[in-house]
Amino acid sequence: MPASSATQIDADRLWYRLSELAEIGKSEGGGVTRLSFTKEERAAKELVASYMREAGLRVREDAAGNLIGRREARVEEAPAVLAGSHVDSVRNGGDFDGPLGVLGAVEALQTMDERGVQTQRPVEVVAFTDEEGARFSFGMIGSRATAGALTPEHLANEDENGVSVAEAMRASGLDPEHIGEATRVRGSVYAYVELHIEQGRILESRDLPVGVVTGIAGPAWLKFTLTGEAAHAGTTPMNLRRDALAAAAAVMGRIEREAARTGTSVGTAGQLDLSPGGINIIPGHVSFSLDLRDIDEDVRNDVEARIMHEAALLCEKRGVELGTKTLQRLPPAPCSSLVRNAAREACEASGLVPFELASGAGHDGMHLTELCPIGMIFVRSKDGLSHNPAEYSSKEDCAAGTEVLYRTLLELADGD
Ligand code: HGY
Ligand code: MN
Ligand code: MN
């Protein structure tokens, strides 16, 4: 790890690339939309591939569409150190969620190249396919494939237009039959580290530019469907209704109350559909999503059980039929001491406080915990905002996080 605390990476180049990538999929209102297997995501991967080549990396795309740039090492066949994130986005998202981790890793490897650094282990930058799950209602397709955990059921999932993951892959030149070729075997990867914006307010509240992640909260995504009876809004007395939307609203109230009760869980209903949708018609059918998370899986499961129990009772009382479907369910993922120690040392060597915090947001590393030790480095988010066009991290903070990533990679790629 470099002796001096002076910044080694090129902050201007990093910022220029972040700004250039942010233009792909940008709408008039300033939000970014780059869904998986679309022309926007393809354009983003082409641009990132060009940066990887500028950094002297050997570039390939695996069977899951993960874009990979590799830097060779003294020991060619040694287990590689992986660094990366994603370039797909949520709908109308921000400029930094994902791109900072991919472009920060490219910048770190280009800095190694320019300084003639040769590491013992190879280092690879990975832009994972579909981390966000914005198109197919479950996420992390690329990291699941890397872990060999992508199932035929996953590939059969459809987007809102009825296009399956497999069909979308074929349309973008990939063959889902060969998805197994993206699997990496245990022992082939030394460690995985991801640079990412915090997407919360903890670093900002402590006036810190960078933090080291202790663990990643586990998300459970469910879809609720409520079936009541569409009826005339004017002629149906309140006590004779089977109002699906009124029942859904009551369930959402329970979600808010049960999640808030623990002080650590978070529960969100982010998607809502209803029908028939007339001003003068009592809604007969409602569906909505639940995103429920906690860093402690038992606490999350207890909150979920309470929500389900209360939802069943209040729907029965209202004569509304309740259905639920699990879309994804991931355990919380602890970050390894190997990566945490390297990142803390890198913070100190960069003249930064090695502050540690948990991640409320999910990340690709959650699927790699069986494959290798994982860890993350966070960069401060302005006002804690993310999944929003106003998402912002300063050039100085992005550079500070990338410098910590650079030094962490040197430690992991050379340490014993
Ligand atoms: O949903 C998440 O936590 C992440 O942004 N995919
Ligand atoms: Mn992300
Ligand atoms: Mn995100």
Side-chain angles (χ1 to χ4, degrees), residues 25-110:
K26 183 148 280 189
S27 67
E28 294 293 309
V32 169
T33 301
R34 286 194 295 264
L35 303 186
S36 51
F37 309 116
T38 61
K39 60 182 177 10
E40 293 80 10
E41 190 204 38
R42 171 51 54 200
K45 284 183 176 176
E46 297 304 330
L47 181 62
V48 171
S50 71
Y51 297 151
M52 288 178 168
R53 284 188 288 271
E54 286 172 21
L57 305 182
R58 185 154 50 88
V59 183
R60 70 183 178 97
E61 193 164 317
D62 74 9
N66 297 315
L67 180 66
I68 300 161
R70 178 179 169 96
R71 184 165 195 269
E72 297 306 346
R74 285 195 298 276
V75 184
E76 260 306 278
E77 63 288 352
V81 174
L82 301 190
S85 193
H86 58 96
V87 294
D88 69 295
S89 75
V90 294
R91 286 180 171 82
N92 201 39
D95 294 353
F96 300 85
D97 176 359
L100 176 60
V102 173
L103 300 183
V106 172
E107 175 54 36
L109 294 194
Q110 189 156 358

Side-chain angles (χ1 to χ4, degrees), residues 10-30:
D10 184 333
D12 292 334
R13 178 169 58 196
L14 170 69
W15 193 250
Y16 174 81
R17 287 173 172 171
L18 278 166
S19 310
E20 192 176 31
L21 177 53
E23 288 311 306
I24 299 178
K26 183 148 280 189
S27 67
E28 294 293 309

Side-chain angles (χ1 to χ4, degrees), residues 86 90 97-98 131-132 196 199 361-363 386-387 391:
H86 58 96
V90 294
D97 176 359
E131 187 278 338
E132 292 290 3
H196 202 284
Q199 303 176 294
H363 301 282
S386 181
H387 289 186
E391 176 183 287

Side-chain angles (χ1 to χ4, degrees), residues 1-10 13-14 71 81 83 101 103-119 123 193-195 210 342-343 345-347 349-350 377 398-414:
M1 203 176 294
S4 96
S5 66
T7 298
Q8 322 267 320
I9 62 101
D10 184 333
R13 178 169 58 196
L14 170 69
R71 184 165 195 269
V81 174
L103 300 183
V106 172
E107 175 54 36
L109 294 194
Q110 189 156 358
T111 302
M112 286 183 197
D113 204 41
E114 290 167 349
R115 290 173 176 273
V117 170
Q118 230 215 346
T119 57
V123 185
V193 54
E194 178 168 353
L195 176 67
V210 171
E345 282 170 31
C347 282
S350 307
I377 298 158
C398 290
T402 301
E403 181 70 22
V404 171
L405 174 68
Y406 169 64
R407 292 166 183 260
T408 302
L409 288 173
L410 288 177
E411 178 59 26
L412 292 174
D414 255 346

Side-chain angles (χ1 to χ4, degrees), residues 47 52 86 105 125 161 164 178 230 234 254 290 301 307:
L47 181 62
M52 288 178 168
H86 58 96
V125 183
N161 301 315
S164 71
H178 292 268
R254 296 296 195 283
L290 170 60
N301 291 344
I307 290 167

